[in-house]
Amino acid sequence: MPVQPPRHRGIYLLPNLFTTAAMFAGFYAIISSIGGRYVEAAIAVFLAAVLDGMDGRVARMTGTQTEFGVQYDSLSDLVSFGLAPALVMYTWSLSALRDLGPLWGKLGWACAFIYAACAALRLARFNTQAGVADKRYFQGLASPAAAAVNMSFVWTMEKAGWTGAELSFASAAIVVVTGLLMVSRFRYFSFKSLPMGERGSVPFAWMVVAVLLLALLILAPARVLLAGFTVYMLSGPVWTIAARIAHRRRARRTAR
């Protein structure tokens, strides 16, 4: 009996095109930062975040979810939200620490590496917990949100006339903090679990809020994004600590 050759499984084109486009945007951000075009780099990372949000939705809508797509999306996220923000922050600001001495120069690239490594660890943990984690929350700051904090900071400071060299210590702090928050156990609200009505309908008030946010983004996109993602970044520790305090208070009341 002849041996049948192994059957090669195909991949779905449409969702993987969005994933590839997101990875290209992250790659373009790296190239732009090397060329000194830091605002372009920041915008490219935000574009990558939009495309990253679309590929999963397209896959679910068309019924084309595959394990290949999941793994490819993670690799794309590592490029767009791990390596790209780290290298943009390094070329824009952290590299200026070399002017203070060799040790400070090493501190600059070490901070960038901490962020990139934490992004990789965050994505690996997310993949291993995908089937058991509560979909209403993220454990640790999501890598697109961490990248958004860093890139909106770059975008805002560039528009305000500040150079990266003048903000090198602030940049180091932001990079390390966002990196550590990605691998933390703080709980962050997942907007994927927003309550919706039939066929994805939402309350009318949400439409009003969306219009107001859109207007603010048009007026001052960099500042609005920085403020919004900074509040979201801080919401995890505040929410988690408040929940623990409330839990301890309830435990004390029941013990009495």
Side-chain angles (χ1 to χ4, degrees):
M1 184 176 179
V3 178
Q4 294 290 336
R7 184 178 179 181
H8 297 284
R9 300 183 61 184
I11 60 174
Y12 293 103
L13 180 62
L14 186 58
N16 290 307
L17 276 178
F18 280 97
T19 305
T20 303
M23 183 163 54
F24 173 78
F27 179 77
Y28 180 80
I30 297 174
I31 299 300
S32 297
S33 67
I34 294 174
R37 302 186 304 275
Y38 302 113
V39 173
E40 286 186 23
I43 294 174
V45 173
F46 278 106
L47 178 60
V50 173
L51 293 169
D52 178 66
M54 293 176 65
D55 62 0
R57 286 175 173 79
V58 169
R60 288 189 292 271
M61 290 172 60
T62 57
T64 54
Q65 294 173 283
T66 62
E67 183 62 26
F68 173 86
V70 172
Q71 300 304 324
Y72 187 39
D73 182 68
S74 293
L75 294 174
S76 174
D77 288 353
L78 180 58
V79 173
S80 299
F81 311 126
L83 294 177
L87 291 173
V88 172
M89 291 295 283
Y90 179 78
T91 55
W92 175 67
S93 180
L94 298 176
S95 60
L97 290 173
R98 293 177 300 182
D99 298 336
L100 302 178
L103 183 60
W104 290 104
K106 293 178 181 179
L107 176 65
W109 63 254
C111 291
F113 174 74
I114 288 172
Y115 177 90
C118 287
L121 292 170
R122 169 69 174 79
L123 291 166
R125 184 177 67 180
F126 177 81
N127 288 343
T128 57
Q129 297 178 347
V132 296
D134 190 342
K135 296 186 182 297
R136 297 175 300 171
Y137 310 102
F138 291 126
Q139 185 180 37
L141 183 64
S143 56
V149 172
N150 286 276
M151 295 300 95
S152 60
F153 178 72
V154 173
W155 190 358
T156 301
M157 295 302 105
E158 281 285 303
K159 288 294 185 181
W162 290 82
T163 66
E166 296 172 309
L167 300 166
S168 55
F169 287 102
S171 299
I174 292 173
V175 166
V176 173
V177 168
T178 51
L180 294 178
L181 284 175
M182 280 192 285
V183 295
S184 70
R185 300 183 66 87
F186 293 128
R187 298 175 72 185
Y188 285 86
F189 182 74
S190 170
F191 293 98
K192 297 179 181 179
S193 61
L194 286 173
M196 295 185 178
E198 296 181 0
R199 298 180 181 179
S201 62
V202 298
F204 179 76
W206 289 17
M207 191 63 190
V208 177
V209 172
V211 171
L212 292 175
L213 287 176
L214 182 60
L216 290 173
L217 283 172
I218 293 173
L219 291 174
R223 295 179 182 179
V224 172
L225 289 170
L226 178 60
F229 281 104
T230 300
V231 170
Y232 181 72
M233 178 187 70
L234 298 175
S235 68
V238 172
W239 187 9
T240 304
I241 293 172
R244 290 178 180 177
I245 293 174
H247 177 73
R248 290 177 181 176
R249 288 178 178 176
R250 288 194 299 268
R252 291 175 182 175
R253 290 174 183 174
T254 55
R256 292 176 184 176

